[in-house]
Amino acid sequence: MKIKNKLFATLLILVFIISVSTVVAEDTADVEELAVDNSEDIELTSEDDIEPLTASGEDDDESSENLTSIAIRVDVLDKVKVGDLFRLKVTVINWGDYPADNVQAGFSFTDLLENPDSSFILVDDGGYAVSPYDGGYVVEFGFLGAGEAQDVILTFLATEAGTKMIFASVTSDDSIMEPDSYFDTTITVSGDDSGSGNNNEVSAANELLPTGNPIAILAMALLCCIVPLYRRK
C-alpha cells in the first residue's frame, strides 16, 4: 500500500513537471514569434541613405551667388532758375554677372536739413513709368541685363529758389544693396532775375532827367533861350 502511494505521488509530480514545461515552452515560442514579426516591420537604414545635416546659412549663400549689383547716378543737365524747366538724368548700371528684374530707381528732393521739398513739379516722364512715392518719385526700369545700363531724362519745373538735395537709390528682385546703390547730389535754384540789368539802366537814366517840377522845366526853357542871345552879342 505504501509503495502504491509513493508511485502515485511520483506520477503526479511528473505530470505537473511536464505540464509546466509545456506552458513555458509555448510562452517562449510566442515571444520569439512576436519578436520575429516586429523585426520584419523595422526597416534598417544604411549610412548611404542618411543625408548629412547642413547649416541653414548654406542655402542662403547658394542663393546669394546669383545676385547682382546695380549702381545709380543722377545728373542735373541744366542751370535751374525759378519758373524754368530743367532736365534730370537718372542712370542705372548693372555691374554684376547676372540679370536683374523689376529694377526701380527712387529719388526725392529735400532742403539742406533733409526735410522733404515739394517745389519741383514733374512735367515729362521721358517715356518711362514714373509715379510719386513718399515725397519723391519712382522710375520703373524693369529688366536689366548683366553689364547693361539704362537712363531716362525727366523734365521738372522749379517753383522755389534755394539749394536743394537729391537722394536716390536703386533696388531689384535680384540685386544686393551696395554703396553704389545710393547716390546724392545738390541742385541750386536761382531767383527770377530776368531783365534786372535793363531795369537798373533805365532807373539811372531817369535820375538824370527833370523830375517834372514846372518851375524846373520853365527855368530850363529860359536858360535854353538866353544862352543863344548872349552868343549873338
Side-chain angles (χ1 to χ4, degrees):
M1 186 65 181
K2 291 181 179 181
I3 294 174
K4 289 182 179 181
N5 291 336
K6 290 181 179 180
L7 290 174
F8 182 75
T10 303
L11 182 60
L12 288 177
I13 293 172
L14 290 175
V15 172
F16 177 78
I17 292 173
I18 292 172
S19 61
V20 170
S21 300
T22 302
V23 172
V24 172
E26 289 177 357
D27 292 339
T28 304
D30 292 339
V31 171
E32 291 177 355
E33 183 179 357
L34 180 61
V36 171
D37 292 340
N38 291 336
S39 65
E40 293 177 356
D41 295 335
I42 299 175
E43 296 181 1
L44 297 178
T45 303
S46 63
E47 293 182 357
D48 296 336
D49 296 332
I50 299 176
E51 296 182 358
L53 296 177
T54 58
S56 58
E58 292 184 2
D59 294 337
D60 296 338
D61 294 339
E62 292 178 358
S63 61
S64 65
E65 292 178 357
N66 296 329
L67 296 179
T68 188
S69 175
I70 304 177
I72 186 172
R73 180 178 177 84
V74 179
D75 295 291
V76 182
L77 303 182
D78 306 292
K79 292 182 178 180
V80 187
K81 293 196 304 182
V82 172
D84 287 353
L85 301 178
F86 69 95
R87 297 168 300 162
L88 203 67
K89 183 179 180 181
V90 181
T91 306
V92 292
I93 306 173
N94 185 354
W95 292 114
D97 299 326
Y98 299 94
D101 199 10
N102 193 28
V103 178
Q104 297 182 343
F107 62 94
S108 60
F109 301 97
T110 72
D111 60 19
L112 295 180
L113 298 178
E114 300 186 8
N115 297 313
D117 187 284
S118 58
S119 62
F120 300 100
I121 301 175
L122 179 65
V123 177
D124 186 1
D125 58 15
Y128 280 73
V130 182
S131 55
Y133 176 76
D134 195 22
Y137 296 91
V138 174
V139 183
E140 303 283 348
F141 284 98
F143 180 82
L144 195 63
E148 183 183 355
Q150 289 189 39
D151 61 69
V152 58
I153 296 179
L154 308 174
T155 304
F156 287 88
L157 171 66
T159 64
E160 181 181 276
T163 301
K164 317 290 183 177
M165 296 287 297
I166 302 176
F167 292 93
S169 63
V170 59
T171 61
S172 78
D173 293 342
D174 308 289
S175 63
I176 55 177
M177 300 301 291
E178 294 188 351
D180 288 342
S181 302
Y182 303 90
F183 188 84
D184 62 84
T185 186
T186 59
I187 175 172
T188 301
V189 183
S190 61
D192 185 9
D193 55 357
S194 59
S196 60
N198 294 333
N199 290 337
N200 291 336
E201 292 177 1
V202 171
S203 298
N206 289 337
E207 292 178 357
L208 298 178
L209 294 177
T211 60
N213 189 331
I215 297 176
I217 295 175
L218 180 59
M220 289 292 296
L222 292 174
L223 182 62
C224 291
C225 295
I226 294 173
V227 169
L229 294 176
Y230 278 104
R231 287 180 178 177
R232 289 178 184 178
K233 292 180 178 179

